[in-house]
Amino acid sequence: MENRASYRVAGKCLAITVWLIGLGVIASGSRRWLPSLASEHGAGIDVMIRFTMAAAGAMILTGHMVLGFFLWRFGSQNKISFRLASHRMERAWSVAAVLVMAVVAEGGVLVLGMPVWAKVFASAAPSSALTVEVTTEQFAWNVRYAGPDGKFGRTSPQLISLDNPLGVDPKDDSAKDDIVDLNIIHVVVNRPVKVRLRSKDVIHSFFLPNLRVKQDSMPGMTIDLWFVPNKTGTFELACAELCGFGHYEMRGILIVMTPEDFEKWLLEKKNG
Amino acid sequence: MAELANPVHQPSSFLRRYIFSQDHKVIGIQYLITAMFMGIVGGLLAMLMRIQLAWPGQNMPLLSKLFPDGMAGGVMKPEFYLSLITMHGTIMIFFVVSLALVGGFGNFLIPLQIGARDMAFPFLNMLSFWTIVPGCLIMMGSFFVEGGAAASGWTAYPPLSAVRSAVPGSNWGQTWWIVGMALFIISFTMGGLNFVTTILDQRTKGMSMMRMPLVVWALFIASVIGLLTFPALLAAAILLLFDRHFGTSFYLPSGLYFGNHLLPNKGGTPLLWQHLFWFLGHPEVYVLILPALGITLDLLPVFTRKPVFGYRMTIYCLYAIAILSMIVWGHHMYVSGMSPYVGEFFAIGTLSITLPSTIIGVNMIASLWGGSLRFPAPMLFVIGVIVFFGTGGFGGLFLGNATSDIQLHDTYFVVGHFHLMIGGITLLAAFAAVYYWFPKMFGRMMSDRLAKLHFWLTFPTFYALFLVMHYQGLAGMPRRYYAFDKYEFLSGMVKSQVHISLVAFVLGAAQFIFLFNFFWSIFRGAKAEPNPWNAATLEWTTASPPPHGNWGEELPEVHRWPYDYSVPGAASDCTPQTVPPGIAPVAM
């Protein structure tokens, strides 16, 4: 066949491209991409991600190598060397694919994934947790602590005004010692933090990239989540659910402090 | 199996023949060209997005003339950027890929490949196309209404999409979006009914279900999925329309506070929309991907000169994917606040889709084994599909898994993933299909040289663009951001935006090679031989382009499956489906 020579070249070009792609994926994927970790449960999420990266990386590499080899090898033959696979062989390859994916995908999620998921979402926060109420609005994070009495003052949407963005009921005694802040959350290192997430208008999402925390705030619902920050420092809080034109600049800050610094801050907050 | 005594006579007026045609081939080409036009629109929107992301706040006085509101003073407003992402997604998914693969090739191929004279309901077919046209016009027109086009993302989550003051695009733009989507769903419901009926009822003698080409199988199953799930979104969209205009509260809970006043709504929940939307939204990706895989599997034997590997197993996998696709929608909602126990169910269910998908992937690669490979342009795109399916598919392992999704949800990882899957696979398969079936459509060949240039400019750029986005997502970069300069943890990402945009411009520009090739070849392409690829499927046994009614007096009779290549003892390496067993042995 007159075109065979050109097919041979095309097959080899494609094969080399496919091999380079496979190697490129692995080379670029083995760089450190995840933001530095600053929470306890985040280690579990990172293990899950790294396991999947390793497994997917191995399969991507294998797949690209095999595909490239086929293109190289069979691009140069004029007649087929193998025609129809037996049903047995087809079944065997299917079973092999199923077994690999059952171990990697289902095994991964059942063994490595679900325990972490259950701990993050399906378990209650420890009683020692510091409770913070975060109420989202376009485009800010309203932060509230219960204060010394450990009780949040009652709120009602009817009471919301420019001076009272949360609609706190001034007649409620437990509201008197509540501490309110905007866009900055102060928490204590190694002490569990329980966030009561609410929203005033649209859906937002409470995303702490370094702490591997993400939870949508859903209007009409109060969603509890908890995590344990285990590094002191300042971390960024981003909105991860499209919430309007200011979505890209709805930035908050999480400050993880030592217990002493936190007490100092509380005191300042009360006096100031 | 319906058979007409006489072939149908072609209508003679230009209007009935090319505009309001009931001929499935004309309608298929109409869909295809509409998809190309919408593809240009959707692609240009993406280019505008890339300009903004690479050079935030750049002054573009020229564009302020086209969009005096969104680009006032030549600088893009954030809300206009949101309209761009919303309409890019909506147009590309529903008005480009769906139109090209399902509307275009579904219509063109099904009757030709099963030996029917036309679709079961030709008038309904025409109606479905002429329902989608106003849908396209409404979607594009929405850019010019008060507040601009919808800006709540292609997912249109309320309250953002339900409350007019939430974002400028939620003014009239969102209403137009709902109407456009409703027309799309109505059109595709009509089309789906037609496809399913035609495939079940109109097959020619000898064309058993297990002798159908895989692309027809894939379109059949995709149509069934579409029929079962699209109505959910139609219902959801009507409820959203009521919330927006008639004061109902399906998606709006009490206590919503916008622009210094309290909304009167009570009792709804935004989660209801998410469930209804994704009940369609997830199966929709399979409606798009299955035909793409079908095209790939159908072209592989032609360019390897041997049967496809695992025909039966692939069909079972298509069924499995169809069923599973309808019970995994919740994996888009892991961090939405739905019950974590439901999340566990969805994670395990979602990851089980990897099983049939991997089998199909293995079958595609194994189809190359031992073949005599040929590399005209369609085959290059077919190889591209296999590569994207491999890499893109493994991205799904991260997102289907609830635990890793906590970090990756709504980041660029998701953007990279779905662009490789429902963007890359579908586009590459559509290109492969156009290059391959163009001679059947117009009786002429497209330029192979230009097509190869198109491939080498499209495949590596597309891959690089969206692979990088996976890594950006791992680094936590959130999607749907107008700019990335407000955060320290994203500072490393800002510089790379320029490179990404430059690659995107190359990708965008390369598509004009395709468009030129397509329209030039309609008039100037080399005359095609009757069976230019030496293929065994039924459509190549009639003239190119086929006459009205597809076949002459007699419908063809089928004696074998569609992949009888290199049959031992046969005269040539391709035995068409119509060759009786006496002449060449039947394998299946």
Side-chain angles (χ1 to χ4, degrees):
Chain A
M1 181 165 283
E2 64 223 292
N3 277 328
R4 184 44 62 191
S6 79
Y7 291 153
R8 195 174 298 147
V9 175
K12 292 192 171 164
C13 286
L14 263 182
I16 292 168
T17 312
V18 169
W19 283 330
L20 287 178
I21 286 175
L23 294 172
V25 174
I26 301 306
S28 48
S30 49
R31 277 181 57 189
R32 206 179 140 272
W33 289 101
L34 291 166
S36 65
L37 180 65
S39 73
E40 212 177 82
H41 77 276
I45 293 181
D46 283 11
V47 167
M48 186 71 253
I49 292 179
R50 294 220 168 88
F51 166 80
T52 315
M53 282 181 89
M59 288 186 290
I60 286 174
L61 190 64
T62 315
H64 282 75
M65 292 303 125
V66 170
L67 179 62
F69 170 71
F70 284 7
L71 294 168
W72 183 283
R73 167 74 184 75
F74 300 115
S76 55
Q77 66 179 19
N78 234 334
K79 279 224 151 57
I80 65 163
S81 52
F82 173 86
R83 186 170 179 270
L84 200 55
S86 65
H87 288 317
R88 227 181 107 204
M89 188 170 164
E90 292 180 353
R91 269 200 301 273
W93 277 102
S94 296
V95 169
V98 164
L99 284 179
V100 170
M101 291 318 286
V103 170
V104 170
E106 297 288 6
V109 74
L110 288 173
V111 176
L112 297 174
M114 280 309 141
V116 182
W117 172 263
K119 186 162 182 231
V120 175
F121 281 111
S123 69
S127 55
S128 63
L130 167 70
T131 305
V132 187
E133 183 194 77
V134 176
T135 307
T136 57
E137 68 177 302
Q138 288 179 329
F139 301 95
W141 311 87
N142 295 285
V143 181
R144 186 160 71 127
Y145 302 82
D149 66 349
K151 278 192 197 138
F152 287 102
R154 205 176 65 81
T155 62
S156 161
Q158 274 79 21
L159 299 171
I160 294 178
S161 67
L162 283 180
D163 307 327
N164 186 0
L166 290 174
V168 178
D169 186 351
K171 283 179 232 141
D172 186 3
D173 282 341
S174 51
K176 298 226 157 62
D177 62 347
D178 287 1
I179 298 167
V180 182
D181 215 335
L182 190 67
N183 293 334
I184 301 182
I185 307 172
H186 292 81
V187 294
V188 185
V189 68
N190 292 330
R191 178 174 169 194
V193 180
K194 178 180 167 188
V195 178
R196 290 179 52 181
L197 200 54
R198 312 168 63 179
S199 181
K200 279 166 69 176
D201 40 37
V202 299
I203 306 170
H204 303 266
S205 191
F206 182 85
F207 178 31
L208 292 163
N210 295 91
L211 285 91
R212 315 290 190 257
V213 170
K214 190 179 287 141
Q215 173 62 57
D216 290 0
S217 65
M218 188 63 59
M221 287 169 78
T222 301
I223 299 170
D224 286 348
L225 66 140
W226 70 279
F227 55 90
V228 187
N230 59 5
K231 281 202 184 73
T232 53
T234 305
F235 303 98
E236 286 176 302
L237 165 65
C239 181
E241 182 64 65
L242 177 58
C243 60
F245 63 83
H247 174 48
Y248 73 106
E249 51 182 2
M250 185 168 159
R251 179 174 178 261
I253 293 285
L254 177 83
I255 300 178
V256 184
M257 314 168 99
T258 59
E260 301 79 52
D261 286 349
F262 184 72
E263 288 307 320
K264 240 185 266 168
W265 171 77
L266 270 184
L267 213 64
E268 272 170 35
K269 201 71 187 163
K270 227 176 281 168
N271 301 336
Chain B
M1 325 250 157
E3 189 166 348
L4 301 169
N6 292 306
V8 190
H9 287 293
Q10 185 158 358
S12 51
S13 80
F14 180 83
L15 207 64
R16 293 295 308 275
R17 216 165 137 173
Y18 295 112
I19 310 294
F20 297 103
S21 171
Q22 299 188 16
D23 186 319
H24 72 99
K25 300 182 289 296
V26 178
I27 295 174
I29 294 167
Q30 284 176 325
Y31 265 112
L32 206 57
I33 291 177
T34 313
M36 282 182 204
F37 178 75
M38 293 305 283
I40 299 173
V41 175
L44 289 177
L45 298 182
M47 295 301 125
L48 289 177
M49 286 154 62
R50 287 314 322 178
I51 292 176
Q52 161 61 26
L53 290 176
W55 301 281
Q58 179 78 11
N59 196 336
M60 291 173 285
L62 212 65
L63 283 171
S64 65
K65 294 216 173 69
L66 186 57
F67 304 107
D69 231 15
M71 304 274 309
V75 176
M76 189 180 292
K77 286 188 190 162
E79 52 266 40
F80 184 63
Y81 178 79
L82 297 182
S83 292
L84 292 179
I85 59 157
T86 303
M87 298 313 289
H88 169 73
T90 306
I91 287 177
M92 285 300 195
I93 294 168
F94 296 108
F95 294 89
V96 178
V97 175
S98 305
L99 289 204
L101 285 180
V102 183
F105 287 104
N107 268 309
F108 188 80
L109 291 179
I110 290 173
L112 280 172
Q113 288 203 325
I114 62 171
R117 294 210 181 271
D118 205 319
M119 282 288 176
F121 311 114
F123 180 81
L124 197 65
N125 208 12
M126 176 182 78
L127 194 61
S128 93
F129 175 72
W130 284 105
T131 310
I132 205 83
V133 172
C136 293
L137 295 176
I138 285 172
M139 281 296 178
M140 288 185 296
S142 72
F143 270 100
F144 305 101
V145 299
E146 193 189 336
S152 53
W154 78 281
T155 48
Y157 281 4
L160 193 62
S161 61
V163 178
R164 282 180 174 219
S165 55
V167 66
S170 286
N171 218 310
W172 278 102
Q174 192 71 49
T175 303
W176 283 44
W177 184 92
I178 293 171
V179 175
M181 284 304 297
L183 289 173
F184 167 82
I185 295 167
I186 293 167
S187 159
F188 266 64
T189 308
M190 292 191 276
L193 277 172
N194 224 341
F195 288 7
V196 171
T197 317
T198 307
I199 291 170
L200 289 179
D201 199 46
Q202 304 286 95
R203 281 170 289 123
T204 189
K205 192 173 173 202
M207 179 62 85
S208 63
M209 291 293 275
M210 294 311 273
R211 277 179 179 169
M212 292 198 311
L214 283 169
V215 66
V216 178
W217 263 108
L219 284 162
F220 173 66
I221 289 176
S223 304
V224 173
I225 305 176
L227 282 178
L228 292 176
T229 59
F230 280 13
L233 185 62
L234 184 59
I238 292 169
L239 300 189
L240 184 58
L241 201 68
F242 272 68
D243 271 10
R244 289 172 51 77
H245 294 286
F246 306 115
T248 56
S249 302
F250 292 106
Y251 306 123
L252 297 174
S254 55
L256 288 183
Y257 193 83
F258 279 91
N260 280 332
H261 71 274
L262 192 66
L263 299 189
N265 302 77
K266 267 196 180 77
T269 168
L271 272 179
L272 174 62
W273 168 269
Q274 297 191 14
H275 281 291
L276 291 173
F277 180 86
W278 287 116
F279 184 75
L280 154 107
H282 194 71
E284 163 71 5
V285 309
Y286 291 97
V287 171
L288 304 181
I289 265 189
L290 295 187
L293 297 179
I295 288 167
T296 306
L297 286 157
D298 226 26
L299 264 52
L300 272 168
V302 180
F303 299 112
T304 57
R305 311 313 293 169
K306 65 187 275 291
V308 67
F309 184 92
Y311 174 80
R312 273 168 186 280
M313 209 42 105
T314 302
I315 292 169
Y316 301 148
C317 288
L318 293 177
Y319 272 117
I321 290 175
I323 293 165
L324 289 172
S325 78
M326 275 182 252
I327 54 167
V328 297
W329 73 90
H331 65 226
H332 297 270
M333 302 167 59
Y334 286 140
V335 298
S336 66
M338 74 176 179
S339 160
Y341 303 105
V342 181
E344 294 182 6
F345 164 78
F346 281 124
I348 293 164
T350 301
L351 290 170
S352 66
I353 294 193
T354 59
L355 309 180
S357 307
T358 312
I359 294 178
I360 292 183
V362 166
N363 286 352
M364 291 198 293
I365 295 186
S367 293
L368 298 169
W369 171 259
S372 164
L373 308 194
R374 279 110 215 253
F375 296 103
M379 179 61 160
L380 297 180
F381 285 93
V382 161
I383 301 296
V385 171
I386 298 177
V387 173
F388 280 8
F389 189 60
T391 313
F394 289 126
L397 290 181
F398 294 80
L399 299 173
N401 186 323
T403 309
S404 40
D405 185 66
I406 296 174
Q407 181 71 4
L408 301 174
H409 184 81
D410 266 331
T411 65
Y412 265 70
F413 194 99
V414 182
V415 179
H417 172 67
F418 69 67
H419 274 94
L420 275 188
M421 299 303 278
I422 52 170
I425 291 177
T426 52
L427 278 186
L428 291 193
F431 288 137
V434 171
Y435 289 126
Y436 179 79
W437 277 295
F438 189 88
K440 184 52 45 191
M441 291 177 178
F442 301 104
R444 291 174 188 271
M445 306 294 288
M446 285 176 82
S447 157
D448 196 54
R449 199 170 288 200
L450 283 180
K452 281 176 176 156
L453 180 67
H454 175 219
F455 171 80
W456 286 108
L457 286 175
T458 300
F459 170 68
T461 47
F462 204 107
Y463 197 106
L465 264 180
F466 296 108
L467 181 72
V468 170
M469 291 189 186
H470 284 78
Y471 298 131
Q472 292 177 324
L474 281 167
M477 191 164 122
R479 63 192 283 212
R480 294 168 168 174
Y481 269 30
Y482 165 74
F484 293 96
D485 50 4
K486 306 288 177 202
Y487 289 87
E488 255 170 68
F489 83 102
L490 297 173
S491 56
M493 302 290 147
V494 176
K495 250 192 254 161
S496 60
Q497 294 296 337
V498 177
H499 301 277
I500 294 176
S501 289
L502 293 177
V503 176
F505 297 150
V506 174
L507 176 64
Q511 305 320 306
F512 287 97
I513 302 175
F514 167 76
L515 289 170
F516 169 78
N517 196 355
F518 185 89
F519 289 105
W520 186 81
S521 302
I522 290 179
F523 303 103
R524 294 290 167 84
K527 282 257 185 275
E529 293 165 38
N531 189 354
W533 313 108
N534 242 333
T537 39
L538 213 51
E539 75 273 24
W540 300 106
T541 58
T542 179
S544 304
H548 194 65
N550 294 344
W551 278 275
E553 298 285 321
E554 298 257 325
L555 280 173
E557 189 178 340
V558 168
H559 298 281
R560 56 186 72 240
W561 76 325
Y563 305 119
D564 259 347
Y565 294 91
S566 304
V567 179
S572 86
D573 67 351
C574 160
T575 313
Q577 282 187 281
T578 47
V579 173
I583 297 175
V586 175
M588 224 171 134

